[in-house]
Amino acid sequence: MATLLRMPEPAAGATSAVVSEWPIAENAPYTVNAAIVVIETEKASIEIEAESDGVLLKRLVPAGTEVAVGTPIALLGSPGEQPPDIDALLTDLGVTGAAPNGRAVEGRHETHGADNTPQRVFASPLARRLARQGGLTIDQINGTGPRGRIVRRDVEEALARVNSAAPRTPAATPPPLPAAEPAGYVEVPHSRVRRAIATRLVESKQTTPHFYVRGTARAEQLLAARTQLNRPGSPKISVNDLVIKAVARAHVLIPEMNAMWTPDAVRRFTHVDVAVAVATDTGLVTPVLREVDTMPITAVAETTRRYADSARNGRLRQHELEGGTVTVTNMGMFGTEEFAAIINPPQSSILSVGAARTEPVVDNGAVVPGTTIRFVLSVDHRPIDGTVAARWMAEFLALIENPVRVFA
């Protein structure tokens, strides 16, 4: 029996998402758990999986379309099902305003005819947004899309007409100017991920009272532990994996750090979930490792590697980006000695990890060469006091210098 696939709510409070990819062709069969469609939110690309075997009878919106949550995006059938009249079937299922090619209209607006009978004016979410930004209402625009649907080009043409019709004050003819030099820059349009990062971090700096705790640790024992753990045939452990595990252990030792500010209370957690910053072509994402305090170091390494691969391929799921009280961000691989990061709300802290460096250190009163790593902890002062963060940093540095305690 044919059913409608509707745009899911990818995250609490989300009102829309973009259909970014259709991995399955029309009239093609699929199996349970197969990715039927990939949608894009401000944070990630999400695969929508099939709940059972079936066939994709019709795509109702093309890739690249922003669609409101709950809007039909595809018609699905049982295995082997081939309805003789898909348009009639869509009408029976209540998909009104479908274009002749079967693609559902993503938005609508009501106006009235000469007899005061309500008439629907269909418009895409992008067209409505552009019209609103340009000071136009939808009923001022003629649609040229299927069944009179208003699309982006209609709004742009309407705005161009309005601008050209605006009266202009005559001005004296300016003297001729020399030929303009070619522009010395290239503009790269903002991606959804880049806009989301900008919005979230501006909000963080404006609303979260940051303070910073810095510390430097000897790293010889940490590097030796990594070498011992990386025996032939075992999963490869990185310095960052050991740092993530040390962060979780420090949160167990100083449980006041494993907290988050909410409008009504400070929320403290029983397990330690740690986010890891991953750089991608479209921006930084922070997938979350769950219950790191109980995870073996090999599981930390395997999960971190899998998340990094998924992030760079645009295949992280929404729930993998939610939660956590602390983020680990590491720029040591670029040779960066020290940096301070902005807290990723609603988390309460973020640990910046610098490069392992050989430099003079004092050992038993003598200056000798040693390997050190510098750390900066950015902290939200609302749920966490300075003394708590200082105690946490002391415990964390001790764990880095004595990594056997990480696994205690």
Side-chain angles (χ1 to χ4, degrees):
M1 179 178 178
T3 58
L4 293 171
L5 174 64
R6 298 178 180 274
M7 175 61 75
E9 183 179 18
T15 59
S16 67
V18 172
V19 175
S20 63
E21 181 184 349
W22 289 102
I24 298 175
E26 289 186 344
N27 296 316
Y30 56 80
T31 57
V32 63
N33 296 329
I36 299 177
V37 62
V38 180
I39 65 174
E40 180 184 348
T41 69
E42 292 181 340
K43 291 186 176 180
S45 294
I46 304 169
E47 293 181 347
I48 306 302
E49 298 179 346
E51 297 180 356
S52 61
D53 295 351
V55 58
L56 197 160
L57 298 174
K58 194 71 177 178
R59 302 170 180 171
L60 302 182
V61 293
T65 305
E66 183 177 356
V67 182
V69 169
T71 300
I73 59 175
L75 180 66
L76 309 180
S78 303
E81 184 175 359
Q82 290 294 331
D85 190 340
I86 287 182
D87 288 343
L89 178 57
L90 287 170
T91 301
D92 292 341
L93 291 171
V95 180
T96 58
N101 62 4
R103 288 172 176 165
V105 176
E106 297 87 50
R108 62 176 66 94
H109 177 82
E110 280 196 353
T111 184
H112 293 78
D115 58 355
N116 207 36
T117 301
Q119 297 177 335
R120 284 178 177 173
V121 178
F122 297 99
S124 70
L126 176 59
R128 294 198 306 273
R129 185 164 62 249
L130 292 175
R132 184 169 58 252
Q133 293 172 351
L136 298 178
T137 60
I138 288 297
D139 53 12
Q140 293 177 286
I141 305 170
N142 294 323
T144 61
R147 297 189 62 182
R149 177 171 173 261
I150 298 170
V151 294
R152 176 176 182 168
R153 64 174 180 271
D154 300 324
V155 180
E156 291 174 343
E157 291 174 359
L159 290 172
R161 287 194 298 270
V162 170
N163 292 334
S164 64
R168 298 182 181 180
T169 304
T173 303
L177 297 175
E181 293 292 330
Y185 59 85
V186 175
E187 290 191 342
V188 179
H190 298 313
S191 66
R192 288 172 63 88
V193 172
R194 177 54 58 190
R195 287 185 184 275
I197 291 172
T199 300
R200 186 169 64 250
L201 296 185
V202 167
E203 176 188 358
S204 178
K205 287 295 286 185
Q206 290 179 339
T207 62
T208 303
H210 286 55
F211 73 93
Y212 306 92
V213 179
R214 291 171 168 80
T216 301
R218 295 283 295 272
E220 291 91 348
Q221 294 300 317
L222 186 74
L223 299 177
R226 182 192 60 172
T227 300
Q228 291 180 339
L229 289 167
N230 283 330
R231 291 188 292 267
S234 62
K236 185 177 180 181
I237 310 299
S238 70
V239 169
N240 207 52
D241 297 329
L242 292 169
V243 169
I244 292 168
K245 189 67 179 172
V247 166
R249 181 61 182 161
H251 269 51
V252 171
L253 296 172
I254 310 294
E256 301 97 318
M257 281 291 296
N258 195 28
M260 179 187 300
W261 176 268
T262 73
D264 299 318
V266 173
R267 184 176 300 165
R268 291 183 176 169
F269 298 87
T270 55
H271 286 285
V272 185
D273 298 343
V274 181
V276 182
V278 179
T280 72
D281 292 339
T282 56
L284 199 69
V285 293
T286 52
V288 179
L289 281 69
R290 312 290 175 184
E291 300 186 9
V292 181
D293 50 315
T294 61
M295 291 177 70
I297 188 61
T298 53
V300 171
E302 291 170 349
T303 305
T304 301
R305 188 174 302 110
R306 176 170 58 83
Y307 278 170
D309 291 340
S310 297
R312 295 182 180 112
N313 294 325
R315 289 293 182 268
L316 280 173
R317 303 176 187 278
Q318 187 71 29
H319 72 272
E320 295 171 334
L321 293 162
E322 297 174 343
T325 58
V326 59
T327 292
V328 173
T329 177
N330 190 334
M331 292 204 294
M333 68 286 293
F334 301 112
T336 301
E337 297 180 10
E338 180 183 306
F339 66 105
I342 300 173
I343 298 169
N344 184 23
Q347 295 179 359
S348 57
S349 61
I350 182 168
L351 181 71
S352 304
V353 183
R357 301 177 64 250
T358 300
E359 59 184 7
V361 297
V362 177
D363 192 353
N364 293 324
V367 177
V368 297
T371 302
T372 63
I373 300 177
R374 297 177 184 174
F375 301 92
V376 179
L377 183 70
S378 307
V379 188
D380 181 351
H381 214 325
R382 294 172 299 177
I384 300 171
D385 291 332
T387 54
V388 172
R391 287 166 48 217
W392 183 94
M393 180 60 82
E395 290 286 359
F396 172 76
L397 295 177
L399 291 167
I400 293 297
E401 293 187 344
N402 300 278
V404 67
R405 291 184 54 213
V406 171
F407 309 103

